[in-house]
Structures are given as structure tokens and as C-alpha cells.
Amino acid sequence: MKLIFLGTNGWYDTETGNGICTLLETGSYYIVFDAGNGIHKLDRYVKEDKPVYLLISHLHLDHVCGLHILGKFKFSKGLTICVGSGDLDSFKTLVNTPYTMPLEQLPYEIRVLSIPDEVEAIPFPLDWRYLRHSVPTLGFRVWIDNKVIVYCPDTGYCEEAVELARRADVLLAECAYLPGETDERWPHLNPESAAKLAMEAGVKMLVLTHFDASRYLSMEDRIRAEEVAKSVFPNTLAARDDLVLEL
Ligand SMILES: [Zn+2]
Ligand SMILES: [Zn+2]
């Protein structure tokens, strides 16, 4: 199993990376967390005939702007996009004319499932929680090939995130804010709160991603975030674009 970081920036693309998108390659599936601009690299890694599942956390544009790139792919086993039920209508508006090619015109089989209503159609164990953000935002927990991978995108520290991440092998946590920074009006994690989340949940490994492009101007800033987080939760890694983690 591999985790491949296609995009690790929050908000917008800069020289530090592309917008948020993470690929989990398992024995039977490709599972993609969010569709930021980094999704354009997906065809570098999707080489085998396995179905692709794309899990969308929320509709802030940095998490979905890569949806207009879907037309470049040719997924032989099709693509399933999972979206929160409350976001379904807005999602269907977005992935349609005049914004982009309608989904039904994509050159491969595609289906859209709403979470939680149609979760039973997903062939691997998937759990979710609504997290603490300015709009309804889903975190995901995937249990596959004897590993538990948890994705906590845009959120402030909250009990739901701790519950979702409980004893995970890998917690992918956002890290939009700089060390010491918080803003209750626009909840996000910083290195300390992401590390606290990892520690409280008893995970094995924490990977920080979704570094706000306007705050994390260089890779040194990310290394500093990693060091700060390690003082709370030692097994922490700051992600960068094109990082491949073998699990
Ligand atoms: Zn975001
Ligand atoms: Zn957001």
C-alpha cells in the first residue's frame, strides 16, 4: 500500500506545491482524497486496472477545482465520486456546463454516491465524521489491507476528529495555520493542534499536509512545523508534493 501526495498546499498553488490531493493505492483500489489542482498528476500513478474512488471532503474550491481536469484521464475501471449528501446539488452544478465538461461526457464510467445515504455501495469499510470548519466538511476513515488511514482535512481541533482518527495507522491532517496561530472564525489546525489530535487519538503516524500557501512560503516553514509537531507527537512527517510513503 502506498500514500502518494499529489498536492500538499492549502488554498492555491505556489512553488511549494499544488492544491490538496492525496492518493492511496491499495491492492484493489485507488482511493483519492480531495480534488485540488494536484489531481492533474493522478495519471502518473494510476497504471493498473483498478477502480478509482474520489472522496470529497467539502466544496471549498481548493478541494474541488481539480474536478475540471477529470477529462484528461482514462480510468478503465471507472471513477466513483463520493460527496456529502448536503453538497450533492452544488456538486452537480459545479461539475457541469458552463463550468466544465458534464460528468456524463467523461470518457469512462462514472458514478456519484452521496455520503452517508449511499455508503453501502462502497466496497471497502469507510467511516466519516463531520468536522469543525466554516462549512460542513467530512473527514474520512478507510480500513483496507489491514491498515487504517484517516484523512482530516479542513478542521479545527474537535472531538469528532479524535474519534475518527482513533488508533489509525496513519493520520493525514491538515496544517493550514502556522505554529501558535488560531482563528475561531475560520477553524483550521496548526502543528501543535494536529499533533495533539494525533496523540489523543493514539495514532501510529501523523502526516501534515494542506499547508496554507499564504503562510507556508517555503519548505523550511514546513520543516519548522514538523519540528514543532514532533515536540508533541514524535512520529510526524511534513508532506511535500510527490512524496511516496510505502505503508
Ligand atoms: Zn482547504
Ligand atoms: Zn475549507
Side-chain angles (χ1 to χ4, degrees), residues 9-11 20 34 57-58 60 62-63 133 153-154 174 176 188 210:
N9 272 24
W11 200 358
I20 184 80
D34 275 334
S57 63
H58 64 310
H60 276 161
D62 58 323
H63 294 249
H133 196 38
D154 299 15
E174 70 125 314
H188 278 292
H210 187 280

Side-chain angles (χ1 to χ4, degrees), residues 72-104:
K72 92 180 264 228
F73 304 128
K74 292 181 183 62
F75 298 133
S76 60
K77 296 289 182 183
L79 171 67
T80 302
I81 306 178
C82 304
V83 186
S85 53
D87 284 336
L88 200 56
D89 288 346
S90 303
F91 173 83
K92 286 181 176 168
T93 300
L94 182 68
V95 192
N96 216 325
T97 48
Y99 305 110
T100 188
M101 185 191 286
L103 288 180
E104 53 274 17

